[in-house]
């Protein structure tokens, strides 16, 4: 059981943060290096927020299923025979064995341990050799349900049974995404990149949420987009990051024949990044997965018009993998090392009230949401 922070511990971790970004310090380093705060992140942030699963294409057909782990908890998402989307803890009610693995299509959920069989709605229908048990009725047993929601072409789950729907809490995010990516439902998965990073997940999010470092660290990117048009706006539980494509040649990848001329990016609290880069119609999902106080797993999933990337898209994938990601990984791993020294406690937030790309107000917004979660945990 995760020990929740005391009121005193919350006051200490919140020290220096100010609601005014121009007067605020960043989140204190203990939130990035202390295993106790990592455990709070898992139980009070990741396990109580909407977590990305996959594109709806993987779960369109009755019987289709997809499995994953969230905050260390095994989850299965299933489309039942009536077409309803369902999610459960991927755990048999008999002896706790995993039920489904990977992804695929099935007519039933059968435990590979003792062959207990559940319908796709989670209800137990068969339990071999139980006819002599006292007070046992298969109809009384059902898999533990998890909240699941289809949102803007993707599937999300939330382990918190009391959490309001993603559509309800995300404000205008759906409207924004569908304005800039109206074909998101019809895109198809084409490629995945994976990374294992020696840094806390919040450092990875911090780095994603500001382009203050871009002129120094990402010179190719600053040619790909027009930095003079870069605008960052925070809203509730998300932030948007918009810029026009650059007008001239760039050293990242060729966008001369691009049909999408806007760099449109959204960050959804706490760890999902939804990106539409200049080029052909596409969507990239960056899923930032906490794996330890100083370890983060990342997946980059590319959803394109076709299963096979075209030449420009292959170039863009190579650029992201071999250039942009390598630059960012070096940054966040260096930051994590620095946070583990006595030389750093917290730094100043750089804020531009106009919301330019050279501002860290979206980082400040993220830190406020983290502290809100810590505050709620301290009051529990």
């Amino acid at each position: 059981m995760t020990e929740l922070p005391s009121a005193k511990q919350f006051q200490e971790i919140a020290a220096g943060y100010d609601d005014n970004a121009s007067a605020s310090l960043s989140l204190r380093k203990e939130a990035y290096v202390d295993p106790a705060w990592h455990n709070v992140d898992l139980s009070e942030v990741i396990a109580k927020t909407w977590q990305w699963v996959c594109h709806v294409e993987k779960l369109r057909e009755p019987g289709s299923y997809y499995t994953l782990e969230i905050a260390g908890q095994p989850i299965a998402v299933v489309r039942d025979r009536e077409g309803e989307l369902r999610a459960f803890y991927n755990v048999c009610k008999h002896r706790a064995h995993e039920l489904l693995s990977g992804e695929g299509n099935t007519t039933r959920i059968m435990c590979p341990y003792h062959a207990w069989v559940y319908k796709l709605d989670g209800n137990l229908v068969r339990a071999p050799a139980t006819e002599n048990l006292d007070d046992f009725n298969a109809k009384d047993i059902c898999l533990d349900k998890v909240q699941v929601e289809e949102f803007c072409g993707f599937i999300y789950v939330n382990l918190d049974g009391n959490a309001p729907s993603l559509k309800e809490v995300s404000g205008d995010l759906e409207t924004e995404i569908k304005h800039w990516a109206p074909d998101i439902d019809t895109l198809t998965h084409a490629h995945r990149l994976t990374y294992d990073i020696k840094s806390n997940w919040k450092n990875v999010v911090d780095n994603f949420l500001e382009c203050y470092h871009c002129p120094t660290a990402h010179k190719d990117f600053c040619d790909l987009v027009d930095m003079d048009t870069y605008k960052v706006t925070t809203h509730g539980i998300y932030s948007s990051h918009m810029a026009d494509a650059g007008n001239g040649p760039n050293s990242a990848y060729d966008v001369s024949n691009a049909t999408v001329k806007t760099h449109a990016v959204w960050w959804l609290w706490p760890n999902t990044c939804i990106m539409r880069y200049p080029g052909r119609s596409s969507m990239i999902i960056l899923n930032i997965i906490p794996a330890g106080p100083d370890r983060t797993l990342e997946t980059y999933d590319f959803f394109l018009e076709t299963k096979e990337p075209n030449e420009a898209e292959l170039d863009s994938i190579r650029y992201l993998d071999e250039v942009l990601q390598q630059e960012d990984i070096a940054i966040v791993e260096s930051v994590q090392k620095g946070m583990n020294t006595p030389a750093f406690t917290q730094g100043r937030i750089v804020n531009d009230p106009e919301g330019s790309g050279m501002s860290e107000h979206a980082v400040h917004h993220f830190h406020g949401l983290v502290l809100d979660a810590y505050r709620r945990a301290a009051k529990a």
Side-chain angles (χ1 to χ4, degrees):
M1 181 181 295
T2 299
E3 185 175 343
L4 296 179
S6 66
K8 181 174 182 293
Q9 287 170 322
F10 171 72
Q11 289 173 354
E12 291 171 349
I13 203 69
Y17 178 85
D18 193 289
D19 288 340
N20 176 7
S22 291
S24 185
L25 295 176
S26 63
L27 197 57
R28 291 176 64 87
K29 74 171 186 180
E30 289 83 4
Y32 299 83
V33 302
D34 189 334
W37 285 111
H38 172 70
N39 291 335
V40 174
D41 284 347
L42 294 182
S43 68
E44 305 303 312
V45 177
I46 303 301
K48 292 187 176 181
T49 51
W50 288 97
Q51 295 291 305
W52 182 81
V53 176
C54 63
H55 191 277
V56 69
E57 70 174 348
K58 289 189 179 293
L59 290 161
R60 278 201 177 107
E61 300 302 319
S64 55
Y65 67 87
Y66 190 90
T67 65
L68 72 163
E69 276 196 7
I70 294 172
Q73 305 298 307
I75 304 299
V77 185
V78 178
R79 182 78 69 176
D80 71 15
R81 290 184 178 182
E82 287 69 43
E84 185 173 345
L85 198 60
R86 299 179 180 271
F88 313 97
Y89 282 92
N90 191 18
V91 176
C92 184
K93 302 299 286 185
H94 173 223
R95 294 273 296 282
H97 197 281
E98 178 186 69
L99 292 167
L100 296 168
S101 61
E103 60 185 275
N105 195 287
T106 186
T107 58
R108 60 183 183 170
I109 301 171
M110 187 174 79
C111 181
Y113 193 10
H114 297 101
W116 281 34
V117 177
Y118 304 82
K119 293 195 297 184
L120 298 181
D121 64 5
N123 289 303
L124 182 67
V125 292
R126 180 174 178 269
T130 56
E131 58 272 9
N132 295 318
L133 299 184
D134 295 336
D135 300 320
F136 179 86
N137 187 340
K139 293 180 180 179
D140 295 335
I141 297 174
C142 183
L143 300 178
D144 285 21
K145 293 180 173 62
V146 170
Q147 285 207 75
V148 61
E149 188 170 340
E150 184 177 329
F151 182 81
C152 289
F154 295 100
I155 307 299
Y156 294 81
V157 296
N158 194 323
L159 304 190
D160 181 0
N162 296 317
S165 75
L166 179 55
K167 187 179 182 69
E168 179 183 341
V169 297
S170 59
D172 293 330
L173 179 59
E174 181 177 23
T175 301
E176 283 191 35
I177 291 176
K178 289 188 173 180
H179 171 76
W180 293 105
D183 58 349
I184 191 169
D185 291 354
T186 63
L187 298 176
T188 187
H189 189 264
H191 195 74
R192 167 172 278 196
L193 299 172
T194 60
Y195 306 93
D196 192 334
I197 302 170
K198 299 181 181 68
S199 185
N200 185 270
W201 73 280
K202 295 187 294 298
N203 270 327
V204 178
V205 174
D206 287 349
N207 184 65
F208 181 87
L209 289 176
E210 51 93 352
C211 219
Y212 184 38
H213 69 284
C214 292
T216 307
H218 302 313
K219 297 186 186 304
D220 300 305
F221 180 81
C222 292
D223 291 330
L224 177 64
V225 303
D226 181 354
M227 289 300 296
D228 289 339
T229 66
Y230 205 110
K231 179 80 171 178
V232 181
T233 311
T234 62
H235 326 250
I237 64 164
Y238 75 97
S239 56
S240 61
H241 307 246
M242 302 289 176
D244 295 337
N247 295 317
N250 71 81
S251 51
Y253 63 91
D254 183 16
V255 293
S256 58
N257 295 317
T259 54
V260 173
K261 304 285 189 180
T262 303
H263 172 75
V265 173
W266 299 268
W267 166 78
L268 174 61
W269 160 256
N271 58 331
T272 304
C273 306
I274 306 162
M275 300 177 278
R276 190 168 171 89
Y277 276 27
R280 197 165 59 147
S281 182
S282 66
M283 191 63 81
I284 307 168
I285 298 290
L286 164 58
N287 194 23
I288 300 168
I289 305 164
D294 57 358
R295 185 181 179 213
T296 299
L297 303 178
E298 280 187 347
T299 57
Y300 271 84
D301 286 284
F302 294 78
F303 300 91
L304 308 176
E305 293 179 12
T306 57
K307 285 281 186 186
E308 296 298 325
N310 64 23
E311 186 175 347
E313 288 163 345
L314 287 171
D315 284 342
S316 70
I317 291 170
R318 277 194 293 267
Y319 163 68
L320 199 152
D321 183 31
E322 298 175 8
V323 180
L324 191 62
Q325 268 298 94
Q326 300 313 309
E327 292 167 345
D328 278 330
I329 289 171
I331 287 169
V332 297
E333 290 188 343
S334 177
V335 168
Q336 189 71 25
K337 285 181 180 179
M339 286 183 167
N340 274 290
T341 71
F344 182 84
T345 301
Q346 59 193 143
R348 190 65 185 260
I349 292 291
V350 174
N351 182 50
D352 174 7
E354 299 299 317
S356 74
M358 296 295 287
S359 178
E360 296 176 320
H361 61 286
V363 178
H364 175 262
H365 172 240
F366 169 52
H367 292 177
L369 291 170
V370 170
L371 290 174
D372 284 345
Y374 289 176
R375 181 185 295 108
R376 288 191 295 270
K379 290 180 178 179

